[in-house]
Amino acid sequence: MSMPAPPRLLDLAGQSLLRHQASAIAALEVLPMELFPPLFTAAFAGRYSEILKVMVQAWPFACLPLGALMKEQQPHQETFQAALDGLDVLLAQEVRPRRWKLQVLDLRKNAHQDFWTVWSGTRASMYSLLEPEVAQPMKKKRKVDGCKPGPKPPLAPVEVLIDLCLKEGTPDESLAYLIQKVQQRKGLLHLCCKKLKIFAMPIQNIKKILKIVQLDSIQDLEVNCTWKLSTLGKFAPHLGQMGNLRRLLLSHIHMSSHTTPAKEEHCVNQFTAQFLRLHHLEELYLDSISFLEDRLDQVLSCLKTPLETLSITNCLLSESDLTNLSQHLNVSQLKDLGLSGVNLTNMSPAPLQVLIERASATLQDLDLDECGIMDSQFTVILPALGRCSQLTTFSFCGNPISMTVLENLLRHTIGLSKLSHVLYPAPLESYEDVRGTLHLGRLAQLHARLKQMLQELGRPGMVWFSANPCPHCGDRTFYDPEPILCPCYMPA
């Protein structure tokens, strides 16, 4: 029977300090930095608000990753406020403490997740951001006659890093308290947000919050709102201030029937003009955007850098839009291209062929689901697909394709060494009727035929999945090779 390990001296010292809070607070000035993380963790878990408040002021590292600790311990509101109060006291001091090192309060829950555990071992030196600054040897100041000391340099602001999710519902007490502190210490406390998600929330409330955020800190923005085009126009100036934005997702923007053409054009121009200021944008996702038809070139022309990801889904596009897209300079380095839900049935396949051809050297993921592509159109783009040397995933479910074309696709892409997953629609030959009823046995046979071809051509590891929406509920049914049935197909 093994004996439990005795408590470490480090743990015993922390427990002793927490039992005598007055002594702990007095000892912080000389407390070894190794004791700060375990003592702070214990104080946070035990809701020792006064100790927390003082520890924030004496924190000996450049960064305090409070978010990672909050993720582990589900904090009480009082302890969170105590940490902010400690920072507030620190910022209120005209002369900062000798031991001041704190530059960043990180409230992101997925950042620095190992910090609170590494101090029990020897890996702490790996975390350069969290290391205290190396003490520099004191240099004797030379006295210069007639020189008066200059004005004190302004105090550097402390950054608060947070991922924001703005939505209606129960007010977030922690966020409200943080906003209050940022407003009180304007200029000394910078609210920085790398990831911002906006759901259903009145635009007036969104603008109030964005007014106190350092907008140039935002790198990832998702706007999942059902907005009118006029509302997007009101939001547009804030978008233009996000100069370091790398990823933008915008969905469900619709036009009001009461909007005049002149007003509509003004709002579109106001939105697209903001792209001129987004010099670092790499990923653009546009879903269910009603104003794109015959205006896609206007959006693309304002982009300042080539995109790595372009996803235009469930949007109405014209053939001229697709032609302009295929000729644009900003698509030549695409890694991910998605046109799911864009109806291409009545369009010439030539623009899509040119688009795939131009991105063939870099394209890794291609999504053409639910585009209504016919056999004749698909046959035209096959040679371009065969030249996509970096392609790893190709999905084109929901298109009326025959088994003959599927076999031709396999032959054209068998030489793509990096292509590992193909998600294809049930071929036309597997349907029983025009209502979309699948003959499951026939589909299994056709799928087995494709698997056999992969084996014969030396690519047994390439995964080909068939997927088709259930005609009753719309959920996809997958086949590899046997169907994974949705409940609609199951016997009662």
Side-chain angles (χ1 to χ4, degrees), residues 119-193:
W119 284 93
S120 60
T122 59
R123 293 187 293 151
S125 61
M126 291 164 42
Y127 292 78
S128 58
L129 176 62
L130 307 177
E131 286 283 338
E133 295 174 0
V134 179
Q136 299 296 324
M138 293 292 290
K139 293 183 180 179
K140 189 174 181 179
K141 293 181 180 179
R142 183 181 299 173
K143 186 175 181 180
V144 181
D145 293 334
C147 289
K148 296 181 180 180
K152 293 181 179 179
L155 298 176
V158 173
E159 290 186 353
V160 179
L161 302 184
I162 187 172
D163 291 334
L164 282 174
C165 182
L166 306 182
K167 58 185 177 181
E168 283 188 308
T170 306
D172 188 325
E173 291 184 36
S174 298
L175 178 59
Y177 197 74
L178 173 61
I179 289 174
Q180 177 187 334
K181 291 298 180 185
V182 173
Q183 290 173 329
Q184 289 174 351
R185 298 298 172 192
K186 190 174 182 179
L188 293 177
L189 200 57
H190 284 180
L191 186 58
C192 299
C193 171

Side-chain angles (χ1 to χ4, degrees), residues 332 355-363 384 387-391:
S332 59
L355 176 60
I356 295 173
E357 183 79 46
R358 292 195 61 216
S360 60
T362 56
L363 195 61
R387 285 189 279 273
C388 294
S389 58
Q390 303 301 310
L391 195 65

Side-chain angles (χ1 to χ4, degrees), residues 94-95 279 364 409 455:
E94 291 188 10
V95 179
H279 296 275
Q364 297 175 4
L409 170 66
Q455 186 81 29

Side-chain angles (χ1 to χ4, degrees), residues 304-487:
K304 304 302 290 183
T305 53
L307 293 173
E308 291 187 0
T309 297
L310 177 61
S311 175
I312 302 173
T313 56
N314 304 308
C315 295
L316 190 61
L317 297 183
S318 65
E319 189 164 326
S320 64
D321 286 323
L322 202 59
T323 300
N324 289 328
L325 175 60
S326 67
Q327 296 172 351
H328 211 278
L329 292 174
N330 287 315
V331 302
S332 59
Q333 298 177 30
L334 281 176
K335 293 181 179 179
D336 301 320
L337 173 62
L339 295 173
S340 175
V342 176
N343 193 328
L344 306 177
T345 303
N346 298 317
M347 295 188 192
S348 165
L352 182 58
Q353 177 199 9
V354 173
L355 176 60
I356 295 173
E357 183 79 46
R358 292 195 61 216
S360 60
T362 56
L363 195 61
Q364 297 175 4
D365 294 284
L366 178 60
D367 184 353
L368 297 177
D369 286 354
E370 309 292 341
C371 289
I373 300 175
M374 314 291 283
D375 272 4
S376 58
Q377 296 168 305
F378 208 86
T379 301
V380 173
I381 69 172
L382 283 179
L385 285 171
R387 285 189 279 273
C388 294
S389 58
Q390 303 301 310
L391 195 65
T392 60
T393 305
F394 177 37
S395 180
F396 60 109
C397 298
N399 296 293
I401 303 298
S402 68
M403 186 63 180
T404 300
V405 170
L406 284 177
E407 292 177 348
N408 286 339
L409 170 66
L410 192 150
R411 294 188 184 96
H412 273 86
T413 58
I414 200 70
L416 302 180
S417 60
K418 296 186 178 181
L419 182 60
S420 58
H421 289 81
V422 177
L423 199 58
Y424 66 94
L428 294 173
E429 293 84 349
S430 58
Y431 290 100
E432 291 185 1
D433 51 47
V434 294
R435 293 176 298 176
T437 305
L438 283 170
H439 189 291
L440 300 181
R442 197 178 303 159
L443 178 59
Q445 291 177 356
L446 295 174
H447 182 78
R449 167 63 184 148
L450 293 174
K451 297 282 282 187
Q452 181 184 353
M453 289 180 65
L454 287 171
Q455 186 81 29
E456 293 171 353
L457 294 171
R459 292 294 303 277
M462 188 188 294
V463 179
W464 276 54
F465 279 107
S466 177
N468 226 61
C470 169
H472 304 289
C473 66
D475 288 346
R476 279 186 176 176
T477 303
F478 292 88
Y479 308 84
D480 182 37
E482 297 299 322
I484 304 170
L485 296 177
C486 75

